[in-house]
Amino acid sequence: MRREETPSPPLLEVRELTVACQGKTVVRDICFSLKKGEILGIVGESGSGKSTILKAVMGILGEEYTITKGEILYKGNNLLELSRREKRKISGPEIGMIFQDTKASLCPVRRVESQIYEALAEHETVTKKEARNRAELLLKKLGFAEGERVLKSYPFELSGGMSQRVGICMAMLLSPALLLADEPTSALDVTVQKQVVEKLLELRKEEGTAMAVVTHNIGVVRAIADQVLVLKEGCMVEYGRLEEVLEHPKEAYTRQLLSSALTLRRAKEEGEGR
């Protein structure tokens, strides 16, 4: 008699997450889960609460924010109940984050290679040379022909797109079990976007990394996601498998969002053809 396999438990499970900013609720009753290797695309108009959800999971909401309800379970443990020391242990090697404004998250007066080495050395035994070699290799895969020059640079010497790829590199080098990505391709041209998407999928394939990716780019969602969460004004509009949500949307707002993305893409293509 064949024994039925027990379903694997979620790596991340968010239950009824509700967040207030200065007393006003900005995210309400958000629920989703991610298993090892799954990728969730989070979409919605600006101000819908997408970035707030990622910051809540990462534990970096500002002082003006308060989680008023819900649980954030990582490997069965409620992240909201962990001490600061316990959170430090898992931030990076367990849960990594790619920020929307990477340049703002980097120290402007320290070279990039110094900050990458510090991030790696915090969680593993590594020499500066090893850290530099690993970073150069990954930067090359992310489209930098001169990775060494980038590593020797200060953040203020880099463009927005270059800084974004440095942030992606820093998050990926630790091969986290869960990667939170806030608009990881927004500052990049189409060619580099493709390289970043390919590298994220490679990380998923090789390391089994689960990801929650916030993006306005429906093309990126189609290329990378297994599940889609649609948000409007801090509330869940639709949540399900990629094919169900994008090909057979149940809600009018989802259809409107998809239609707007298609209209913008056609306008761009017509403009490029002139």
Side-chain angles (χ1 to χ4, degrees):
M1 184 175 178
R2 186 176 179 180
R3 180 182 297 175
E4 292 186 5
E5 292 185 3
T6 303
S8 59
L11 179 72
L12 175 72
E13 189 171 7
V14 175
R15 299 177 178 172
E16 299 184 339
L17 177 66
T18 301
V19 181
C21 179
Q22 297 180 338
K24 180 182 178 182
T25 298
V26 292
V27 165
R28 185 187 302 276
D29 293 329
I30 302 301
C31 300
F32 64 86
S33 64
L34 277 172
K35 293 182 179 180
K36 179 180 179 180
E38 283 189 324
I39 299 178
L40 171 70
I42 305 177
V43 300
E45 59 196 11
S46 296
S48 60
K50 303 184 299 295
S51 298
T52 300
I53 292 170
L54 294 195
K55 290 178 180 178
V57 174
M58 195 69 191
I60 55 172
L61 287 171
E63 292 182 358
E64 67 272 26
Y65 288 86
T66 305
I67 295 176
T68 58
K69 189 176 75 169
E71 295 178 310
I72 303 173
L73 304 178
Y74 174 72
K75 293 184 176 179
N77 297 311
N78 191 353
L79 295 178
L80 304 181
E81 297 176 351
L82 298 185
S83 66
R84 182 173 295 183
R85 183 178 180 182
E86 289 171 323
K87 289 178 182 177
R88 268 184 80 89
K89 284 184 178 180
I90 64 174
S91 294
E94 289 281 331
I95 305 177
M97 184 160 182
I98 299 170
F99 294 91
Q100 183 174 0
D101 185 5
T102 299
K103 184 172 285 190
S105 68
L106 295 171
C107 177
V109 294
R110 294 178 57 210
R111 296 185 192 273
V112 169
E113 66 175 352
S114 173
Q115 297 185 61
I116 288 178
Y117 168 69
E118 183 179 77
L120 285 173
E122 177 75 17
H123 301 286
E124 60 182 86
T125 302
V126 62
T127 66
K128 289 184 178 181
K129 183 178 179 180
E130 289 170 342
R132 183 171 61 251
N133 290 342
R134 284 166 58 182
E136 276 189 43
L137 181 61
L138 183 49
L139 287 172
K140 185 176 181 179
K141 292 182 178 180
L142 291 172
F144 282 115
E146 300 178 3
E148 184 177 359
R149 181 178 67 83
V150 173
L151 292 174
K152 295 291 184 184
S153 301
Y154 292 96
F156 65 82
E157 297 177 310
L158 304 178
S159 68
M162 294 168 76
S163 297
Q164 188 72 3
R165 280 179 281 173
V166 167
I168 292 170
C169 175
M170 291 179 72
M172 285 185 169
L173 279 173
L174 286 166
S175 299
L178 173 64
L179 181 61
L180 310 173
D182 192 355
E183 296 283 2
T185 63
S186 61
L188 309 176
D189 61 40
V190 176
T191 302
V192 180
Q193 282 184 22
K194 183 174 181 291
Q195 292 170 328
V196 170
V197 167
E198 288 174 348
K199 191 59 192 171
L200 289 172
L201 289 173
E202 183 182 318
L203 186 66
R204 187 254 291 270
K205 181 180 179 181
E206 294 182 355
E207 305 291 342
T209 300
M211 304 179 199
V213 181
V214 161
T215 180
H216 285 88
N217 191 328
I218 299 298
V220 170
V221 174
R222 288 187 184 277
I224 202 171
D226 303 298
Q227 309 175 59
V228 181
L229 170 61
V230 182
L231 295 177
K232 181 182 181 183
E233 298 176 353
C235 297
M236 296 176 66
V237 174
E238 203 153 349
Y239 169 57
R241 305 302 297 176
L242 175 74
E243 297 80 8
E244 295 171 3
V245 176
L246 297 192
E247 303 304 330
H248 308 286
K250 297 176 182 177
E251 303 297 329
Y253 177 73
T254 306
R255 293 193 290 272
Q256 179 186 346
L257 199 66
L258 294 171
S259 175
S260 299
L262 183 60
T263 301
L264 286 170
R265 188 177 71 180
R266 284 175 175 168
K268 181 181 179 182
E269 289 172 350
E270 289 173 2
E272 290 174 345
R274 290 173 185 166

